[in-house]
Amino acid sequence: MYTIEMAYAHMRQLQELANRSRTDQPAAAQRLHESRETRKPRTAKKR
């Protein structure tokens, strides 16, 4: 049986892994990634 506690524990493990992999990146690579994110052209909202 898969409980909500098990799901929560698994989610925490994934979050910790993501945080660890993010901190392992050098600062220059992180800045390059952020500049790419901010340079994306914004699309007009459909109305």
Side-chain angles (χ1 to χ4, degrees):
M1 185 173 180
Y2 194 69
T3 64
I4 192 74
E5 288 84 7
M6 292 165 70
Y8 184 71
H10 186 239
M11 183 188 71
R12 292 284 303 202
Q13 288 174 341
L14 292 174
Q15 188 67 48
E16 288 170 12
L17 182 65
N19 288 340
R20 257 184 272 131
S21 67
R22 184 170 35 207
T23 56
D24 286 343
Q25 291 179 356
Q30 187 66 27
R31 266 186 260 115
L32 178 66
H33 180 68
E34 288 170 0
S35 67
R36 279 191 195 139
E37 293 287 315
T38 56
R39 250 189 282 135
K40 284 182 183 173
R42 302 278 172 163
T43 57
K45 290 184 178 177
K46 293 182 180 177
R47 296 184 183 208

